[in-house]
Amino acid sequence: MSSKKYKELESENRRQSSQIRSLELAKSKGEKAADDLADTRQVLRNTESELEELTARYNGLQDSYEELQQSYKEVLDQNKDILDITSREKSNLTREINLKEEALNEKEQELNEKLEQISESQRKIVELEARLEQEKQLMDSLQTTISNALFVFGPSDLSVEQRDGKIYVSLSQKLLFDKNSDKLDAKGKNALSKLAEVLKDREDLDVVVEGHTDVDGDPSYNWDLSTRRATTIVKNLQNAGVNPDHLTAAGRAFYEPVAKNDTEEGKSLNRRTEIILSPKMDQVMELFRSN
């Protein structure tokens, strides 16, 4: 074989070898590309699977979100209703509390006024008690003074006692008058004169003169006699200096006995004149009225 031919063959051989290597390289690259493609397709399949899973999860989450939104809306609506109810109840409660407070304030004011009235009443009661005690002391003193002035007359003719805040000077008929008479005798005038000396300067007393009889005789006559005797004594006291504005005459006949009229002793006790001395209680009554 000629060297030229050999060189041509050798050159062809190198070219074919080069092509073979190129093909082998291309094949290797192709196989690698196929492996890469297979890996990529697997990754893609895995990715698609994950995507489907994620999509399903997303859809589930979306459903859950929508459910939550609906629940949230319902809760908001319920809360709104609750808030509305609570607001109304709060408003009603506030109004009720205000009314209660107003009523309480009124009651408190009334209580304070009552306490002030009670305090004022207590003050007036203390003042009244002091005034009554003063009057009692004055009446005690007056009783003693009258008893001392009339001590010369015996207990069968005259008595001085205090009842219910008044002084009762009881004078028997035989000390003042003859039987069935309304004219004072000397002994009676003397007794009344001594009594008038005590009373004439006492402008703080009311003097009521009551005539009393027993049951003997005509009732109309007894009325008249008891009244005339009381009037006679009133005039005598007036003439002796006792203020007539403080004097009152009254006939009681036999309607207020101090003893039974079934014995002469009892009748004698009933035939009497009572001079009743009462303190003028204008200031005391004013305290009563103000209370």
Side-chain angles (χ1 to χ4, degrees), residues 132-145:
L132 291 174
E133 179 61 26
Q134 181 183 5
E135 291 294 339
K136 183 179 183 304
Q137 292 176 1
L138 290 174
M139 295 302 284
D140 289 343
S141 175
L142 178 61
Q143 181 181 359
T144 300
T145 301

Side-chain angles (χ1 to χ4, degrees), residues 48 51 85-86 90 109 139 141 180 211 216 284:
E48 288 176 348
L51 179 61
I85 294 173
T86 303
K90 179 181 178 182
Q109 183 176 355
M139 295 302 284
S141 175
N180 294 325
D216 293 343
V284 175

Side-chain angles (χ1 to χ4, degrees), residues 32-81:
K32 186 177 183 305
D35 290 339
D36 291 341
L37 179 60
D39 292 339
T40 300
R41 285 177 177 173
Q42 184 60 42
V43 171
L44 179 60
R45 283 193 296 270
N46 292 339
T47 301
E48 288 176 348
S49 178
E50 291 177 358
L51 179 61
E52 289 176 357
E53 183 179 350
L54 289 173
T55 300
R57 290 176 61 189
Y58 172 79
N59 292 334
L61 290 173
Q62 184 67 28
D63 293 339
S64 297
Y65 174 73
E66 291 176 356
E67 289 178 359
L68 285 174
Q69 277 192 319
Q70 181 63 31
S71 298
Y72 178 71
K73 183 177 180 303
E74 292 175 357
V75 170
L76 284 180
D77 292 339
Q78 291 176 357
N79 286 341
K80 183 177 181 301
D81 293 338

